[in-house]
Amino acid sequence: MRQRIELRAEMGDAVLTHLRQFGELPTTGVVAGQAVASAIDDLWGRKGTGVYNDLDIFRHVQYRADIVIQRANATAARTNMGVVERESDYERMTQMLELVDSYSIQSVNRDGMLNFVNCTLPAHLSGGGLSPTRVLAGFDLNCVRVAVDLHTKRLVWDRSFERYLASRQIEIAMVHTPWHTFLRLLKKLEELPETYADVDAAAAICTGVAGSSFLAKLKSTARVSLLFGAKHKELADRHRARWAPYVDMQESHWMREARQWKDLAEAGPEALAIASSGQRVCLWQMSARAGLDHRLQSRLDRMGQAVVMLAPQAVYCERRKKSAAV
């Protein structure tokens, strides 16, 4: 039986010592995510099961307009379209973070296994700095909601991460962009040993958010927030057997006209035929095979902008209810 891990703030020092094998860590900022969770498992859980793809180090920087124009590791197609779509998980968070008035990700610098995620804060939040708690609030899966403050060396986590350690059940904690989050959950199920997830519930959460009235209002100007590029298309292909019962995947083409991009499905087959490869980009999107129960979808719609934060709790609670017959 797996030994229960009791988290303590003092564990941060040992976690940092463990992570230094992958690179020289700075003395300020916040290291957060899968690497920290894996270090906890290797040090106090089942040793040798950690997954270390990279170390994400979040740091507060001053806003610079010239950097914002050329965001790091951008998907070329989405960058050219003037919308926010980064292939890496930590950068894509900006789409949601901008909606909930949190920190923004200005750029990302990579040094070996270290990813330096350079963040800015709006003026009314800058006084508190980029705290570990604020960083974790932007993570969509419970299994990565743990961090270490590099200055104080204190471990910081939230209740959803405690539940993950106790149950090994991967859950959605909040939704950046629905289908990216769904694919990330499936990827974590493959990567992390002895974990499981309610995939039915995860699909319902992402379906409910993608179909919410709040996102519907954005589609005229930010419809591309539900689309993904070639890297996540590869991820989707790898996990097709897991998501196919819930969603379909479609290819979409976009053409540049003057300074605007137009969906060629709306422009008609003639436009698709005349668009040159230099003017056209290909992206993918998912659509649910079936919508949510009308009553539950209506509840999510009433949440408005808060749906990205509250939809997971609403759906998980709904699925835990017992029928009158039971």
Side-chain angles (χ1 to χ4, degrees), residues 88-152:
S88 52
D89 294 326
Y90 41 80
E91 287 189 296
R92 198 177 56 252
M93 289 161 49
T94 295
Q95 296 181 44
M96 188 286 307
L97 294 170
E98 289 173 348
L99 295 178
V100 297
D101 194 24
S102 183
Y103 60 92
S104 296
I105 299 173
Q106 179 166 253
S107 63
V108 176
N109 300 49
R110 190 175 182 93
D111 181 9
M113 285 189 64
L114 306 186
N115 288 318
F116 292 95
V117 187
N118 304 312
C119 307
T120 60
L121 289 168
H124 66 283
L125 295 179
S126 59
L130 187 66
S131 66
T133 301
R134 184 163 286 157
V135 169
L136 295 182
F139 288 9
D140 56 354
L141 300 179
N142 64 346
C143 59
V144 295
R145 284 194 155 204
V146 60
V148 179
D149 186 315
L150 289 165
H151 176 64
T152 65

Side-chain angles (χ1 to χ4, degrees), residues 62-71 106-107:
Q62 295 299 313
Y63 172 81
R64 286 179 54 186
D66 58 323
I67 294 179
V68 173
I69 293 173
Q70 300 182 3
R71 295 182 185 270
Q106 179 166 253
S107 63

Side-chain angles (χ1 to χ4, degrees), residues 78-90:
R78 297 288 294 273
T79 301
N80 293 340
M81 293 169 72
V83 295
V84 182
E85 158 65 5
R86 263 85 54 193
E87 285 293 330
S88 52
D89 294 326
Y90 41 80

Side-chain angles (χ1 to χ4, degrees), residues 12-89:
D13 201 357
V15 169
L16 294 181
T17 299
H18 182 79
L19 294 180
R20 287 191 183 100
Q21 65 183 294
F22 302 110
E24 184 177 351
L25 299 175
T27 57
T28 59
V30 177
V31 57
Q34 184 59 64
V36 178
S38 291
I40 290 171
D41 250 347
D42 281 341
L43 291 171
W44 295 283
R46 186 169 179 175
K47 295 176 172 53
T49 61
V51 176
Y52 303 92
N53 297 319
D54 45 38
L55 275 66
D56 293 334
I57 300 170
F58 293 74
R59 55 187 181 182
H60 187 192
V61 299
Q62 295 299 313
Y63 172 81
R64 286 179 54 186
D66 58 323
I67 294 179
V68 173
I69 293 173
Q70 300 182 3
R71 295 182 185 270
N73 296 339
T75 302
R78 297 288 294 273
T79 301
N80 293 340
M81 293 169 72
V83 295
V84 182
E85 158 65 5
R86 263 85 54 193
E87 285 293 330
S88 52
D89 294 326

